[in-house]
Amino acid sequence: MDRREWLLGTGALLAAGAGPLGSKADFPYARTRTYLNNAGFHPLSVQAARAAREYLALRTEGPREPDWDVSAGVKKDFAGLINAPSEGVGYVTSTMAARTWWWRGWASPGGPATW
């Protein structure tokens, strides 16, 4: 396939309203207007807006309870990898949170920890 064939195929897909970015219907802002100001901001697709709402809900309301049977198995398997008891393995939201909790919980009562 040469460049010309690829461009013809891509043009046909876009003309049909299909493609990796979805169709114009997926962008409510662009349904009624032609949008050319990409330096200002980019219109969001319906899918991107949904993902953003889900992320913000997670950060606002916290995670839902995990499937504890699966969680226990994952903790046991991970504990085996690092040669630790599964009771010593926990979940944290980020490595920064883990480091802060470690510092506040274990390192600081006996004095500052050395890294």
Side-chain angles (χ1 to χ4, degrees):
M1 175 182 292
D2 65 11
R3 180 176 56 116
R4 187 167 285 138
E5 289 172 339
W6 185 83
L7 287 172
L8 285 171
T10 304
L13 279 175
L14 293 175
L21 298 178
S23 68
K24 192 172 182 176
D26 292 337
F27 294 86
Y29 188 86
R31 287 181 187 154
T32 59
R33 60 189 70 106
T34 300
Y35 188 81
L36 299 174
N37 185 15
N38 287 331
F41 74 96
H42 296 276
L44 284 177
S45 68
V46 174
Q47 296 86 351
R50 183 180 322 111
R53 281 192 297 275
E54 289 171 2
Y55 172 77
L56 290 173
L58 177 69
R59 297 299 296 164
T60 303
E61 301 164 14
R64 292 179 181 80
E65 293 293 325
D67 181 348
W68 292 112
D69 294 333
V70 172
S71 179
V74 170
K75 286 173 66 172
K76 182 180 176 210
D77 292 345
F78 183 74
L81 284 173
I82 62 171
N83 197 24
S86 59
E87 305 84 48
V89 175
Y91 295 114
V92 294
T93 55
S94 68
T95 54
M96 182 184 69
R99 181 175 171 227
T100 301
W101 293 339
W102 174 83
W103 181 263
R104 289 183 181 167
W106 292 306
S108 56
T114 56
W115 296 98

